[in-house]
Amino acid sequence: MHRRLASLALLIVLAVSFAPATAQATPNSQVQCESSFGFRALHDLIPQIVGECFAGTYDIPSNGAVRFTTGDLEIYVDYADLAQITTNGVLLWRATDAWTAFTDGTTTWVNGPCGLQSRPNDTRYSWEIGGGCDGAPPVSVVAPPLAPETRQWPQVEEQIFALINQQRLEAGVQPVVWDQHAADVALRHAQEMAQSGYLSHWNQAGEFPQQRYGQVGGRAYAVQNVSCQWRTWSGDPPSPRPPFSEQAVAEAVFTQQMNMIGETPPADGHRRNILDPNRTAVGLAIASGDDWICMDQEFLNQYMSLEGIPNQPLVGEPLHLSGVAAPGYEVFAVQLGYLPPGLPMTIEELHLAPLQYGNAPVYRQLSPQLGPDGSFSLDVAFDLPSSAVDPFSGALLEGLGTDGAFLASASGPPRAGRYQVTVWVRAPDGIVLPAANPMFEVRDTPALAAP
């Protein structure tokens, strides 16, 4: 038996057990604990919880976590710039957003832009991951328990999620949060690849990653990392095949993950997806078949909350769409695209499918009304004329542009099908990036109500 590893601009990760790296803290005696970096202010808000400060502050090196011991507590800190030990835990300060916090090893009290808040250590508030002070409860940054009857390798998936965030923190990038919807989308594709024996961004229905995510209700912008390992046999394979052990899966995919994080330009698509500071969430899944182990990771940009998204709008009818960008972000552009129906693909075609994929072809630039708070609103008409679409393949005809000139000469009733809206935002640093990508199944007639 032989084993082979392969990947596309994707990513595979499994792991054994990963302990946080440790580093020796460096005392900084020049900073007084009672006044520096908001430590005293936070102490005065919750004195019984924080306890009393002692010694000086500590510079936390960027290349690893620091282990603090105070009383009977042993606390690991892996994302802060300064720390101050107290009798009950550790005070922390982060330079990027002047974030001040206290943790007792289980709970963190954060004094930030939304006032004093407390949360479990394995969660984050919306404003900590690019959102605003929306009053929403904190979200988990640890993979939730996964149903064993549907997910084959839940413990390895949790280890991969932890490894991704460990690698991001080591690179000075904020961690991503877990997105269950994206994980469910990833599971379906990982299972199909493992059971059918192929590696591709596309599936057997001819659907690409953003299409699979959007057509089941995903609203964020998604990019994908996938990878597979398979085994071959020198003679006839045994029947039934010996099952993969969890240790074999973990070791194989951990090797693949480390290969991808070690990529160098220009062939570093996996690494860029893992470490992209604009990614805010991820959902991942691992599946195995008779001879294949496959992994799908869906990284998301979540910078926009949207309203006015029915499941199945009617063709030609205007839809009022509105939303609000994350604090500090502003809407830059809104585009409307039409997605031709996917054509089934054979396993041979999937092996030869292109490595690049994108969104639905854009046929119109939209003009939203913009608010000073990062909000936008507009009426969308799903109105692609039938004559603009090839009657045989369903693809947009050659020459279709986004300036309206081609559409002006097209005729016929508007076409039903899948439309996609892409909202682009400008980040505080001036970078323009896709923030939302909802898909609409536009119908000719109203959907029948369930009996």
Side-chain angles (χ1 to χ4, degrees):
M1 182 190 75
H2 306 280
R3 289 181 178 173
R4 297 180 180 179
L5 297 173
S7 63
L8 294 179
L10 315 124
L11 150 76
I12 267 197
V13 182
L14 272 92
V16 265
S17 175
F18 298 102
T22 60
Q24 182 66 38
T26 303
N28 185 344
S29 60
Q30 296 181 355
V31 178
Q32 298 299 315
C33 65
E34 64 270 10
S35 59
S36 300
F37 306 102
F39 289 165
R40 173 54 56 184
L42 182 54
H43 168 274
D44 291 346
L45 288 172
I46 46 174
Q48 299 302 318
I49 293 174
V50 173
E52 293 304 317
C53 302
F54 62 87
T57 59
Y58 289 82
D59 294 318
I60 298 178
S62 60
N63 62 349
V66 174
R67 180 176 62 191
F68 291 99
T69 300
T70 174
D72 296 331
L73 299 175
E74 189 172 79
I75 301 173
Y76 287 89
V77 176
D78 59 7
Y79 194 66
D81 296 293
L82 285 172
Q84 167 63 53
I85 302 174
T86 80
T87 52
N88 294 341
V90 181
L91 286 160
L92 304 167
W93 177 79
R94 190 168 63 201
T96 54
D97 50 10
W99 170 96
T100 302
F102 171 80
T103 181
D104 62 5
T106 302
T107 301
T108 295
W109 288 260
V110 186
N111 196 18
C114 306
L116 180 62
Q117 299 171 294
S118 64
R119 56 168 173 75
N121 279 6
D122 58 359
T123 65
R124 299 291 186 272
Y125 282 104
S126 177
W127 65 267
E128 295 181 271
I129 52 176
C133 298
D134 52 14
V139 295
S140 175
V141 291
V142 173
L146 303 172
E149 67 273 12
T150 58
R151 310 192 79 94
Q152 293 173 278
W153 309 104
Q155 293 183 347
V156 181
E157 290 171 339
E158 292 173 11
Q159 294 281 5
I160 294 304
F161 177 70
L163 179 58
I164 290 172
N165 277 335
Q166 178 180 322
Q167 292 172 333
R168 289 175 66 89
L169 290 168
E170 289 172 351
V173 180
Q174 290 197 20
V176 288
V177 300
W178 179 267
D179 188 278
Q180 187 60 50
H181 185 80
D184 293 340
V185 173
L187 178 61
R188 285 188 285 270
H189 189 58
Q191 288 177 333
E192 183 180 289
M193 289 193 299
Q195 293 167 6
S196 300
Y198 74 87
L199 173 63
S200 177
H201 288 300
W202 274 258
N203 65 5
Q204 291 175 284
E207 299 165 338
F208 57 87
Q210 183 63 42
Q211 181 179 357
R212 293 192 298 270
Y213 173 72
Q215 69 192 10
V216 292
R219 299 183 179 184
Y221 178 79
V223 297
Q224 182 192 53
N225 278 354
V226 292
S227 184
C228 292
Q229 170 191 317
W230 62 92
R231 56 188 177 187
T232 59
W233 304 88
S234 55
D236 292 334
S239 181
R241 306 282 205 281
F244 290 105
S245 68
E246 182 170 314
Q247 184 66 22
V249 171
E251 291 176 354
V253 191
F254 174 68
T255 299
Q256 186 70 6
Q257 168 68 6
M258 299 312 293
N259 289 340
M260 285 187 281
I261 199 66
E263 291 173 344
T264 58
D268 60 343
H270 304 97
R271 177 182 173 85
R272 283 187 280 115
N273 277 346
I274 299 167
L275 301 182
D276 191 329
N278 296 311
R279 309 297 179 224
T280 60
V282 69
L284 64 90
I286 299 161
S288 60
D290 284 344
D291 291 318
W292 286 62
I293 303 168
C294 292
M295 169 86 170
D296 185 335
Q297 292 183 342
E298 305 286 334
F299 287 90
L300 306 180
N301 291 0
Q302 294 177 324
Y303 294 100
M304 177 71 60
S305 60
L306 296 175
E307 297 179 357
I309 303 186
N311 291 329
Q312 296 178 327
L314 292 179
V315 67
E317 287 193 358
L319 168 69
H320 186 73
L321 182 65
S322 62
V324 179
Y329 292 75
E330 59 182 19
V331 175
F332 178 79
V334 183
Q335 298 173 324
L336 180 61
Y338 177 80
L339 187 64
L343 298 177
M345 301 176 71
T346 65
I347 300 300
E348 291 73 20
E349 290 172 331
L350 288 167
H351 284 309
L352 299 174
L355 300 182
Q356 303 298 322
Y357 60 89
N359 290 331
V362 173
Y363 76 89
R364 190 187 298 281
Q365 297 281 358
L366 303 177
S367 300
Q369 293 182 339
L370 304 180
D373 58 349
S375 63
F376 82 97
S377 65
L378 76 163
D379 291 326
V380 182
F382 303 103
D383 57 357
L384 182 67
S386 298
S387 65
V389 178
D390 185 288
F392 298 102
S393 67
L396 298 180
L397 293 175
E398 292 290 334
L400 181 63
T402 61
D403 58 2
F406 182 87
L407 293 178
S409 63
S411 61
R415 185 177 180 89
R418 287 178 180 153
Y419 289 75
Q420 190 174 49
V421 173
T422 303
V423 182
W424 296 78
V425 298
R426 190 193 303 274
D429 59 5
I431 295 176
V432 175
L433 63 152
N437 220 191
M439 187 171 292
F440 302 86
E441 185 74 33
V442 180
R443 301 173 56 92
D444 287 310
T445 56
L448 296 176

